[in-house]
Amino acid sequence: MANADTLAHVPGPRPKPLIGHTLDLLIDSYRLHGNAAKRFGPIYKVKVLGKWRVALNGADALEFILGDRDDLFSSAGGWDMLDVLFGGGLMLRDFGDHRAHRRIMQSAFRKPVMDAYRDSMATALDSLITDWPAETDFAFFPAIKTATLQMGGAVFMGLSIHDHRVPELNQAFQAEVAASLGIIRKPLPYTKIRRGMMARRYLSETFRQLIPERRKTGGDDFFSQMCLATDDDGNVWTDEEIVDHFNFLLMAAHDTTAATLTKMIWAMTTYPDWQDRMVAEVDALGDAPLDDAALDALDVTDRVFRESLRLLPPVPFIPRLAVRDFSYGGMDFPAGTSVSAMPGMVLVSPDHWTDPEVFDPDRFSPNRAEDQSHRYAWAPFGGGAHKCIGLHFATMQVKVFMALLLRRYRVERADDGPVKWQRVPIPFPKGGLPVRLIPR
Ligand code: HEM
């Protein structure tokens, strides 16, 4: 591991005793990095979760780290804090091994299965939205988390949204996610990490029991597809690998999408003109089924989605571990250096975006195309070998949800104060974002 001595030549803000910059990161990660970049330039070091990490700012640095032409940066080493709970997942594998596993997983994202996910997603979400109360205030963020978890039971596991196992599975899943970035990493009694590890054992056992039947009978849900997944050479996963991949995939899919939908609802209620434009394009679909053609026509929704991800990317910093010595920006770094790629900072950089703090989805329109200023100007889904494999799945889910919601309701905010966002570990609005649904 690189340490203060081997990184002595890298500037950076002075760390607090014991906790370094961890608390600053938890309180306001953008302020920590924004201030450090202003003072020290695009390359500096901070100490987070007990480790010195070198931040390389800028879109070129993103391309260098994530594009990783020379297999220099380990994702497993970067995300080591997730290993105890999500070990064996795609993001916790590297290089040749990662490529082999990703090829197998790709077959669970083939077009015909994606169509089946889309249809079962629409059925589940429609029924869940119907259950939401009209003209009554409720907090959107917890509601969408619960709804997408219930939908996940159907789309990911092939369970009915009312299956009696769903609440227990969801509880365990939430304990696992809460533990992933707990500050205390030893599984001492009463710690989040200990609860998370127990949850992982329970979930793994539940998934494992489903495998023999799903291998035999298949199904249109994600889990069944993973049980049947093969690459072009016919390689399949062992039971253990299926459990590990599925466990990780649920985590990767869930909070990211719930946070993004919440930011979109914030945008639609803060800028009702944009909601009007979304309603108009949903109305233009009539009662048509939400197939690919219908979802492709939701161009305004797509821009609001992209702009929401720009302002609140669920993964604003991407950690890697250098497996060999390397040089960047005129500095040398030893093998073992923890490196942070900074898509979140690039997404609000004036180098790529006009008035970056302003909510302006038209910046993605073909005549402005600010996202095209650099291959990595808009990279909320990462890039290179580990680029989000669920990008299309997430886009589909967001569009299906918005179309179903706006067919029935307009959304209003139940209070008018400014909304404060917590960015890490996964973004959420403090106060939950109280809203009201007004039947149309
Ligand atoms: C708005 C929603 C989402 C965002 C912003 C997002 C973002 C990301 C990012 C930034 C990465 C790359 C991390 C890295 O390079 O270290 C990633 C990887 C991944 N995502 Fe997503 N994600 C989203 C939704 C989903 C969904 C819905 C799924 C599954 C259905 C999913 C599955 C995965 C998996 C399996 C990986 C690991 C890929 C690999 O290592 O090869 N994500 N995601």
Side-chain angles (χ1 to χ4, degrees):
M1 191 183 7
N3 55 38
D5 292 338
T6 54
L7 296 176
H9 59 298
V10 184
R14 187 193 295 269
K16 296 197 176 68
L18 290 176
I19 54 168
H21 301 102
T22 306
L23 200 58
D24 300 317
L25 186 97
L26 291 174
I27 293 170
D28 190 343
S29 50
Y30 276 38
R31 190 169 64 201
L32 169 69
H33 284 291
N35 287 346
K38 231 181 261 158
R39 221 173 122 202
F40 302 105
I43 303 178
Y44 52 85
K45 64 176 186 284
V46 289
K47 193 172 186 187
V48 174
L49 292 178
K51 262 194 204 172
W52 283 103
R53 296 166 196 270
V54 174
L56 302 182
N57 278 269
D60 286 346
L62 269 185
E63 185 157 13
F64 173 67
I65 300 169
L66 301 183
D68 196 19
R69 299 231 170 102
D70 302 318
D71 283 357
L72 182 57
F73 295 112
S74 158
S75 176
W79 288 107
D80 61 342
M81 70 298 251
L82 296 184
D83 191 58
V84 60
L85 296 157
F86 299 103
L90 215 45
M91 210 168 73
L92 290 140
R93 294 177 182 270
D94 286 320
F95 313 131
D97 171 59
H98 166 258
R99 285 188 278 272
H101 279 263
R102 185 155 167 138
R103 270 198 295 274
I104 298 181
M105 181 158 313
Q106 207 71 57
S107 81
F109 286 94
R110 290 177 339 269
K111 166 90 175 100
V113 257
M114 286 288 280
D115 289 349
Y117 300 152
R118 185 196 58 220
D119 294 347
S120 79
M121 185 184 278
T123 310
L125 285 175
D126 199 38
S127 139
L128 290 161
I129 290 171
T130 313
D131 288 348
W132 279 350
E135 299 185 84
T136 308
D137 299 355
F138 68 97
F140 183 80
F141 182 64
I144 192 67
K145 277 191 66 139
T146 308
T148 47
L149 279 171
Q150 279 176 286
M151 181 214 78
V155 179
F156 285 100
M157 296 188 66
L159 306 175
S160 138
I161 53 172
H162 301 298
D163 189 292
H164 69 280
R165 283 168 293 183
V166 170
E168 208 170 274
L169 286 167
N170 287 346
Q171 216 178 8
F173 172 69
Q174 300 208 46
E176 204 184 17
V177 172
S180 59
L181 290 176
I183 293 182
I184 302 170
R185 306 307 298 167
K186 283 217 172 81
L188 302 169
Y190 309 111
T191 52
K192 282 187 185 169
I193 191 85
R194 189 179 168 104
R195 280 197 293 275
M197 287 167 74
M198 282 159 61
R200 172 169 180 152
R201 265 201 298 280
Y202 162 76
L203 288 169
S204 299
E205 202 35 53
T206 310
F207 301 154
R208 196 172 291 118
Q209 281 170 13
L210 293 174
I211 295 176
E213 189 205 324
R214 299 296 176 92
R215 280 204 200 270
K216 233 188 285 159
T217 58
D220 282 341
D221 58 285
F222 219 102
F223 187 73
S224 299
Q225 289 300 317
M226 286 175 67
C227 291
L228 302 175
T230 61
D231 63 11
D232 292 344
D233 303 322
N235 294 310
V236 296
W237 282 326
T238 63
D239 288 8
E240 214 46 50
E241 287 168 339
I242 291 171
V243 167
D244 286 349
H245 280 300
F246 190 64
N247 188 46
F248 173 78
L249 186 110
L250 284 183
M251 187 276 288
H254 182 255
D255 284 272
T256 47
T257 312
T260 305
L261 285 168
T262 306
K263 188 67 179 180
M264 289 178 78
I265 292 289
W266 164 84
M268 291 152 62
T269 51
T270 309
Y271 306 98
D273 292 359
W274 278 98
Q275 187 170 167
D276 292 344
R277 289 175 67 177
M278 288 170 68
V279 166
E281 71 175 7
V282 167
D283 284 353
L285 297 178
D287 293 331
L290 297 174
D291 56 13
D292 282 358
L295 298 186
D296 281 350
L298 298 181
D299 187 45
V300 177
T301 307
D302 196 61
R303 279 183 224 169
V304 172
F305 170 57
R306 286 161 167 264
E307 182 68 340
S308 300
L309 278 169
R310 187 183 71 79
L311 290 173
L312 196 76
V315 193
F317 311 108
I318 299 182
R320 294 287 189 262
L321 185 76
V323 295
R324 297 190 301 279
D325 297 354
F326 73 100
S327 305
Y328 187 82
M331 279 192 204
D332 297 326
F333 302 93
T337 298
S338 293
V339 174
S340 292
M342 316 285 283
M345 303 311 281
V346 175
L347 287 165
V348 290
S349 161
D351 294 347
H352 303 286
W353 311 97
T354 322
D355 297 328
E357 302 308 324
V358 174
F359 177 80
D360 177 10
D362 277 338
R363 61 175 85 248
F364 293 96
S365 61
N367 56 336
R368 287 177 58 195
E370 294 184 8
D371 54 320
Q372 301 300 315
S373 60
H374 189 290
R375 248 179 104 192
Y376 279 79
W378 188 83
F381 290 98
H386 289 275
K387 183 170 182 174
C388 181
I389 199 168
L391 187 162
H392 297 297
F393 187 100
T395 310
M396 195 166 87
Q397 184 177 340
V398 162
K399 288 185 171 179
V400 167
F401 173 81
M402 286 300 170
L404 292 169
L405 182 74
L406 296 178
R407 274 179 174 170
R408 286 169 194 271
Y409 299 114
R410 289 191 62 84
V411 195
E412 288 178 357
R413 281 267 284 291
D415 62 9
D416 347 296
V419 178
K420 289 209 171 118
W421 297 86
Q422 174 85 33
R423 283 191 188 266
V424 281
I426 286 284
F428 65 90
K430 293 182 180 163
L433 195 69
V435 296
R436 194 177 306 131
L437 302 178
I438 310 297
R440 298 186 52 217

